[in-house]
Amino acid sequence: MRVSDTLEKRQHSVLRIDNRMTAFGLKDLTSREQNIWWTIVKLIYNKGTDELTLLRSEIESISGYKSLKERDSNGNYVDKFIYEMKVLGKKLLSLNTEIIDNETNECVLFTIFPVFKVDSNCIHIRVSEYFSPWFNDLKLNYTRLDLTVMLGLKSNYAKNLYRYLIRWQNYKTDDTDFPGCWIVDVDRFRNLMDIPKTYNNNDIFRRVIEPSLKEFEKKDENGWAPFLRSEVIKVNKKGTKRKIVK
């Protein structure tokens, strides 16, 4: 494959996602389910709020998904696609957010997909009108996320850390001379990353951050790595500072 072909393929894998989505709660999704989620995000981008049909073949081609198979009582293999998508759909339907009107003190709760139907060959899906700005005509306040990188990361910790970090890739704070710093206190980091409460700071570094750094350093078949250099600036009881350099 020529370098130009590789670059073109890479460009097609880049998603524009609303900045709010980089911190959207995906804690209950497995790594396998996250791959399907980000594939869905790619397929519904700029498609409005009408009901869409996402072909199983598209989902499999992009995400690398392969249906689990189990034997029935007669010893025949049973395709688990509908079951797996049903489980994923229930998790996605449970993802909700809220809008609070500070003047009226009115609170509106809404879910991202009011419609999520599955059959053996496709998913029928519709984006809530409240979430439409997250998926359509993004011109400001968005982050570029490389789908190839996201799908290539194996662990949930690495996937979640990648999407949090990538938002701050070129952001420069007042307390450092380097761009690409994500400054977050430990309690919020624990919550965002869904880290067990029993983990102390050493456990967080050893079981969460360090393995993720190793995944970030791995290269794909074309020699691309998510980050050329990635390091922890500071970890202490007051907070965690994390720097990435693209």
Side-chain angles (χ1 to χ4, degrees), residues 11 19 28 68 136 154 164 235:
Q11 290 170 352
N19 284 340
D28 292 334
L68 296 176
N136 296 284
K154 302 302 181 184
Y164 295 136
V235 179

Side-chain angles (χ1 to χ4, degrees), residues 175-190:
D175 62 347
T176 178
D177 294 328
F178 297 97
C181 276
W182 179 38
I183 301 175
V184 58
D185 66 68
V186 173
D187 288 340
R188 177 162 171 74
F189 186 77
R190 285 177 181 275

Side-chain angles (χ1 to χ4, degrees), residues 12-191:
H12 285 303
S13 76
V14 174
L15 300 179
R16 283 189 181 188
I17 61 172
D18 189 287
N19 284 340
R20 290 167 290 186
M21 197 182 297
T22 61
F24 196 57
L26 299 174
K27 295 186 293 184
D28 292 334
L29 270 59
T30 66
S31 177
R32 177 182 172 90
E33 289 168 341
Q34 278 212 48
N35 287 348
I36 300 172
W37 155 257
W38 290 113
T39 299
I40 289 174
V41 171
K42 176 179 177 62
L43 294 174
I44 66 177
Y45 180 68
N46 267 353
K47 299 291 178 61
T49 57
D50 293 334
E51 185 171 317
L52 302 171
T53 298
L54 310 182
L55 298 178
R56 175 177 176 172
S57 57
E58 289 181 298
I59 295 170
E60 291 176 336
S61 175
I62 296 172
S63 70
Y65 164 83
K66 291 183 179 179
S67 173
L68 296 176
K69 297 185 185 300
E70 292 182 356
R71 291 184 184 272
D72 61 17
S73 58
N74 296 318
N76 299 316
Y77 281 108
V78 177
D79 188 351
K80 302 283 287 184
F81 176 77
I82 293 180
Y83 171 78
E84 289 185 277
M85 294 306 105
K86 179 181 176 181
V87 171
L88 173 61
K90 285 184 176 181
K91 290 182 179 181
L92 295 180
L93 289 173
S94 70
L95 297 177
N96 57 56
T97 189
E98 63 183 35
I99 295 177
I100 299 177
D101 189 319
N102 293 325
E103 294 183 0
T104 64
N105 206 30
E106 181 182 52
C107 177
V108 180
L109 297 174
F110 50 92
T111 186
I112 190 167
F113 298 131
V115 173
F116 193 97
K117 299 184 293 186
V118 182
D119 60 41
S120 60
N121 294 311
C122 57
I123 296 174
H124 305 275
I125 199 168
R126 180 169 67 82
V127 176
S128 165
E129 61 270 23
Y130 291 108
F131 271 99
S132 179
W134 292 36
F135 297 99
N136 296 284
D137 299 320
L138 293 177
K139 296 178 181 178
L140 297 172
N141 301 318
Y142 65 84
T143 296
R144 293 179 182 273
L145 183 146
D146 192 323
L147 184 61
T148 302
V149 170
M150 179 61 80
L151 298 181
L153 297 172
K154 302 302 181 184
S155 73
N156 255 7
Y157 285 142
K159 288 180 183 293
N160 287 328
L161 191 58
Y162 171 66
R163 68 186 174 99
Y164 295 136
L165 290 174
I166 201 67
R167 176 180 176 181
W168 306 103
Q169 179 184 346
N170 297 311
Y171 185 79
K172 187 174 182 180
T173 60
D174 295 333
D175 62 347
T176 178
D177 294 328
F178 297 97
C181 276
W182 179 38
I183 301 175
V184 58
D185 66 68
V186 173
D187 288 340
R188 177 162 171 74
F189 186 77
R190 285 177 181 275
N191 182 58

